[in-house]
Amino acid sequence: MQKLNEMRVALICAVIAAAGVIAAPYYIDLFQIMQLTVFAAMAVLALSLGFIWGYGGILSFGQTSFFGLGAYAYAVAAINFGDSTGAIVMAILIPVIFAALLGYFMIYGGVSDVYLGVITLTVSLILFNLVNSTAGDFYKIGDARLGGFNGMPAIPTFNMPGDPGYILSPEQAWTVTGLALIVVYIGLRVLIASTFGRIIIAIRENETRAALLGYDPRFYKLLTFMIGGAIAGFAGALYVNWGAFVSPTIFALGLSAQIIIWVIIGGRGTLIGPVIGCLLMQWMVTAIGGQQALDANFILGAILIVFVLLVPKGIAPTVVDLVKSRLPKAKSDTANSNAKVKA
């Protein structure tokens, strides 16, 4: 019953958020809409790590691998297909296949959690150097030149499905990206509430016990890893659509660290936490970038230290704990007031 009530609340909040997304272009100027679009795309990326780490217990330092692969897959497919619909499919499919292959060798190979993080980080660095070395006309897929360190400019952005000539405006692109964030969030909530979700949480808590109950931890961890890769790849497509440009920096180590910071600050073991952490930190970085007095990386590092020391659970779990701690007192006060009235 509690889970059902929580899901109802989540759905109500999602409907309200969707209404806000649709109404935003009527009240916010174009510059702010563009900022919100990239924030929402990165929040989808944060959800990918929030899911596999917070619920699957898999700490991946290389979510940028799937993010970058999704971005490049979208760019190459959009240029060759001339349509964004098939490009979005490729942006999800390529990272899923890569996650399946990489995850199979790591998870079924018995790689421990620490080394799994190191391997995923190394893969991101390899992809960064690999794509960075693709300058020249020789490195192209179909009509799409990879561009090396210069990146791929003038990438076709989202169009109306089935009508490549109808290119979405920035306001429409924001609506698509904002609603995509909500759909991914609700989809993950439903998945976690399902039998699959309960199994991966059980494996996270005690892998040996789950295996004794008849579940194969390797199989479920691999599926979790693949789902995280699919979401990160989708986020890459959303990101490329925002700027119509992609470069090897999308695989950079700095972004990998930022994703982990978003999840830690927002709260691991929740879905809304990574979204809050991402939106808050992205807003702060943007605000700090508008002045020259403070270094953004210094501020991010200081905030991370403060949260690790003072708010180790993150924002979302801490707020929930505070609310729950107040509820018994509120119920007790209400009961005492009712007793006095009856007396």
Side-chain angles (χ1 to χ4, degrees):
M1 182 62 72
Q2 182 180 356
K3 291 290 184 180
L4 182 60
N5 291 333
E6 290 178 357
M7 186 58 67
R8 286 175 178 171
V9 171
L11 289 174
I12 292 172
C13 292
V15 171
I16 295 173
V21 167
I22 296 172
Y26 297 98
Y27 300 96
I28 302 176
D29 60 55
L30 181 58
F31 176 75
Q32 291 176 319
I33 285 294
M34 294 294 288
Q35 281 191 318
L36 288 175
T37 302
V38 69
F39 289 177
M42 301 308 275
V44 174
L45 175 60
L47 278 174
S48 72
L49 182 62
F51 173 67
I52 68 170
W53 186 21
Y55 293 91
I58 304 171
L59 175 55
S60 170
F61 283 94
Q63 284 304 100
T64 50
S65 298
F66 313 114
F67 183 60
L69 284 173
Y72 269 92
Y74 174 86
V76 171
I79 292 173
N80 283 284
F81 296 165
D83 181 79
S84 64
T85 306
I88 294 173
V89 174
M90 295 301 295
I92 298 173
L93 184 61
I94 297 299
V96 165
I97 294 173
F98 185 76
L101 294 173
L102 179 62
Y104 177 81
F105 287 108
M106 291 191 303
I107 296 171
Y108 278 83
V111 176
S112 63
D113 293 340
V114 174
Y115 289 106
L116 189 148
V118 173
I119 292 173
T120 52
L121 177 61
T122 304
V123 168
S124 291
L125 295 176
I126 292 173
L127 288 173
F128 171 77
N129 288 301
L130 181 64
V131 179
N132 208 36
S133 304
T134 57
D137 294 337
F138 177 77
Y139 296 98
K140 64 178 183 177
I141 302 175
D143 296 328
R145 290 185 174 88
L146 299 181
F149 56 84
N150 290 320
M152 300 176 65
I155 299 170
T157 55
F158 289 160
N159 58 259
M160 189 67 67
D163 186 3
Y166 188 116
I167 305 299
L168 300 188
S169 67
E171 291 84 0
Q172 291 172 322
W174 147 250
T175 302
V176 170
T177 307
L179 293 179
L181 171 60
I182 296 171
V183 169
V184 171
Y185 173 80
I186 292 298
L188 288 177
R189 284 293 299 262
V190 173
L191 184 64
I192 291 168
S194 68
T195 302
F196 176 83
R198 292 192 290 270
I199 292 172
I200 64 172
I201 293 173
I203 292 172
R204 179 198 65 187
E205 295 298 323
N206 194 318
E207 190 169 321
T208 302
R209 183 182 298 171
L212 292 173
L213 290 172
Y215 302 108
D216 185 356
R218 298 173 302 176
F219 173 74
Y220 285 96
K221 290 175 77 172
L222 178 59
L223 285 181
T224 302
F225 193 64
M226 291 170 61
I227 293 171
I231 296 171
F234 181 50
L238 296 174
Y239 177 79
V240 171
N241 174 77
W242 166 73
F245 174 79
V246 64
S247 71
T249 56
I250 202 168
F251 296 101
L253 179 61
L255 181 57
S256 296
Q258 283 187 49
I259 305 169
I260 296 173
I261 291 173
W262 297 339
V263 176
I264 291 175
I265 290 177
R268 188 166 77 93
T270 68
L271 289 177
I272 193 63
V275 174
I276 293 173
C278 173
L279 297 179
L280 177 63
M281 299 309 295
Q282 288 287 97
W283 173 80
M284 289 191 64
V285 168
T286 302
I288 294 171
Q291 49 81 50
Q292 302 296 325
L294 298 173
D295 181 74
N297 291 326
F298 174 78
I299 297 298
L300 286 176
I303 292 173
L304 177 61
I305 292 172
V306 169
F307 269 84
V308 169
L309 294 177
L310 302 181
V311 194
K313 291 184 177 181
I315 294 174
T318 301
V319 170
V320 171
D321 289 345
L322 287 174
V323 171
K324 287 183 177 179
S325 67
R326 294 294 300 172
L327 285 178
K329 185 177 185 301
K331 289 180 180 179
S332 177
D333 293 343
T334 302
N336 291 335
S337 299
N338 291 336
K340 289 180 179 178
V341 170
K342 291 179 180 180

